[in-house]
């Protein structure tokens, strides 16, 4: 079975690439580019759970920046792909080559929805325990528009939806909200932990007698 996993990897770069006048695609491959990779690391438990059970993973890790529906190379998820691949290797979870769709690793940065056939073909080649990482969802205006057709396309790539995007969960976008109409939806390990933590705080507050203001 294939699982569409949605993360919330809105990472910060050491250099603001969108303001770099001499930007080159090669800048995306700088291993020191990502300042804080915590939002990549928190995806590992959910990915591990699926991989160890033989699942295929279509990973939408979240967005970077605000490209406003345009294919802006500076906001490509190539750095996220490279860092996640490194982390999976360190954890012994990289059972097959990690893929990217569309394949921005060729040097041409492309959006998911404008290149549906390429994305579909790459996803169809997935083997058990293998991951394909989708490009920045905000390259497509349909993401922020919560577009139904876009959501149906994403849903067609998998059998189940797994939400591990607590930091972006309030956003009514195609890969967070509309897609859940078309796939059985579940919480990821990190998201479940976040909700349990908040619920625990609420229960503690309700135990205490609180005076009105």
């Amino acid at each position: 079975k294939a699982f569409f996993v949605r993360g919330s990897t809105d990472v910060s770069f050491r250099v603001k690439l969108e303001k770099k006048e001499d930007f080159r695609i090669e800048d995306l491959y700088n291993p020191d580019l990502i300042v804080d990779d915590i939002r990549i690391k928190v995806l590992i438990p959910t990915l591990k759970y699926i991989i160890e059970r033989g699942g295929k993973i279509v990973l939408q890790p979240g967005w970077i920046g605000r490209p406003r529906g345009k294919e802006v190379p500076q906001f490509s998820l190539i750095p996220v792909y490279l860092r996640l691949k490194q982390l999976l290797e360190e954890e012994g979870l990289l059972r097959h080559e990690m893929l990217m769709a569309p394949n921005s690793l060729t040097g041409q940065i492309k959006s998911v929805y404008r290149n549906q056939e390429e994305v579909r073909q790459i996803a169809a080649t997935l083997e058990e325990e293998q991951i394909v990482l989708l490009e920045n969802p905000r390259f497509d205006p349909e993401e922020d528009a919560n577009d139904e057709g876009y959501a149906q396309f994403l849903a067609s790539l998998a059998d189940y939806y797994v939400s591990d995007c607590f930091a972006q969960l309030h956003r009514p976008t195609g890969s967070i909200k509309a897609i859940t109409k078309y796939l059985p939806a579940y919480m990821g390990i990190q998201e479940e932990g976040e909700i349990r933590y908040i619920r625990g705080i609420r229960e503690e507050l309700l135990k205490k007698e609180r005076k009105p203001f």
Side-chain angles (χ1 to χ4, degrees), residues 138-153:
R138 282 185 165 172
F139 283 174
D140 291 302
E142 293 83 359
E143 166 71 1
D144 285 339
N146 197 31
D147 183 79
E148 295 289 333
Y150 168 75
Q152 288 181 52
F153 168 69

Side-chain angles (χ1 to χ4, degrees), residues 1-57:
K1 297 294 184 180
F3 297 79
F4 188 103
V5 179
R6 180 55 159 85
S8 55
T9 309
D10 189 4
V11 296
S12 298
F13 289 163
R14 196 173 301 279
V15 178
K16 290 188 178 297
L17 297 180
E18 69 273 21
K19 295 183 178 180
K20 196 170 186 289
E21 293 182 2
D22 59 345
F23 169 79
R24 300 178 303 162
I25 293 294
E26 289 76 11
D27 292 331
L28 296 168
Y29 291 82
N30 180 353
D32 298 320
L33 184 61
I34 294 177
V35 177
D36 185 355
D37 62 2
I38 187 61
R39 288 197 182 177
I40 302 176
K41 288 179 175 177
V42 296
L43 288 171
I44 298 296
T46 293
L47 300 180
K48 180 180 180 181
Y49 184 90
I50 297 172
I51 289 170
E52 290 182 342
R53 287 158 180 78
K56 305 173 183 180
I57 299 173

Side-chain angles (χ1 to χ4, degrees), residues 103-115:
N103 189 6
S104 294
L105 301 169
T106 61
Q108 183 180 357
I109 308 301
K110 297 181 286 185
S111 81
V112 170
Y113 200 41
R114 294 189 191 98
N115 297 275

